Amino acid sequence: MAEFAVQSEGRSEGIVIKDDWPGYSLDLFSYPAHYSGDLDCVIIPHGVIMDRTERLARNIMDDLGNHAIVVLCVLKGGYQFCADLVDRIKDLSHNSNRTIPMTVHFIRLKSYLNDESTEDLHILGGEDLSFLAGKHVFLTSFTVKKIVAFAESQTIGNICLCRFVLSDVGFEIPNRFVVGYALDYNEYFRDLSHICVISDTGKMKYKI
């Protein structure tokens, strides 16, 4: 198994946001008014996310141009990144003489209760992943280790990881509970464009 980020020598290990970074003030950005008081700060603005996603798409084109890939999107938290990454790859393919044939498949994962990750991992739609055998697979997920362990148990073969927040590919962030850009807290905050740190008030407000 190879991590996509380190396949090429000299490849950037991503943007590292240090543990003591306080984040951007919410006053600098627009966000839905119904989340007023529910957020502490903006960790990654939407524009930075989109720029980094385009760079990831270019890396994929450089490494795998003209080779078919399978994009395995882990719902629900990965859907926005998956859609944006696929769009960037399509845009690059349409404007160059190098193309990547792609298919996109979806599985659904549930492993959190409020802000705590649980050992009870539920995977829906992953009963038979044999169609991935021998393919270059890009996994768009935030809970990567558990997914890869499951995928390997299905004898898929070569898995190239295109991880976003918790990896050296896109961003490495502090160990804080983040929401937005399709990441949720009990199904809330998916409509938030930026990646933000949820406040204690927000956790209590939407706790189940």
Side-chain angles (χ1 to χ4, degrees):
M1 182 178 67
E3 287 194 5
F4 179 73
V6 295
Q7 287 182 348
S8 299
E9 292 185 6
R11 175 64 52 78
S12 169
E13 294 187 354
I15 297 173
V16 178
I17 301 174
K18 297 186 180 298
D19 290 344
D20 58 356
W21 165 242
Y24 296 100
S25 170
L26 293 167
D27 293 337
L28 298 174
F29 301 92
S30 296
Y31 62 95
H34 51 265
Y35 292 137
S36 178
D38 300 333
L39 304 168
D40 275 342
C41 64
V42 174
I43 283 287
I44 312 175
H46 183 256
V48 177
I49 296 170
M50 298 308 295
D51 282 352
R52 188 63 181 138
T53 300
E54 182 175 355
R55 179 71 261 181
L56 293 177
R58 290 181 182 275
N59 291 349
I60 293 171
M61 290 289 291
D62 290 343
D63 286 347
L64 291 176
N66 301 320
H67 291 280
I69 62 173
V70 175
V71 177
L72 183 60
C73 178
V74 181
L75 301 172
K76 299 176 183 177
Y79 84 83
Q80 189 63 66
F81 172 55
C82 180
D84 289 337
L85 179 66
V86 168
D87 281 346
R88 298 292 83 74
I89 294 173
K90 289 193 300 184
D91 290 343
L92 292 170
S93 294
H94 294 165
N95 293 286
S96 73
N97 58 3
R98 301 180 64 196
T99 62
I100 296 183
M102 283 188 299
T103 58
V104 182
H105 296 271
F106 301 89
I107 59 175
R108 186 174 174 185
L109 172 70
K110 183 174 178 59
S111 63
Y112 273 85
L113 178 63
N114 295 317
D115 61 344
E116 297 292 332
S117 180
T118 69
E119 295 298 322
D120 190 14
L121 180 69
H122 298 282
I123 300 177
L124 305 177
E127 293 81 4
D128 182 11
L129 298 179
S130 60
F131 64 90
L132 299 178
K135 303 293 195 309
H136 290 285
V137 181
F138 287 87
L139 181 63
T140 63
S141 172
F142 296 89
T143 310
V144 173
K145 291 183 179 179
K146 293 179 180 179
I147 291 292
V148 170
F150 175 80
E152 288 179 333
S153 73
Q154 304 299 303
T155 63
I156 289 175
N158 184 37
I159 300 177
C160 299
L161 301 184
C162 186
R163 297 181 285 178
F164 184 51
V165 168
L166 300 179
S167 78
D168 55 1
V169 175
F171 298 89
E172 181 178 341
I173 67 172
N175 186 24
R176 305 175 71 182
F177 196 90
V178 295
V179 293
Y181 195 62
L183 294 175
D184 77 301
Y185 177 80
N186 294 330
E187 298 301 327
Y188 292 92
F189 301 99
R190 295 195 196 276
D191 54 337
L192 181 63
S193 297
H194 313 294
I195 293 181
C196 301
V197 176
I198 187 174
S199 68
D200 290 338
T201 299
K203 290 179 183 179
M204 291 302 299
K205 181 177 178 180
Y206 300 109
K207 186 176 180 179
I208 59 175

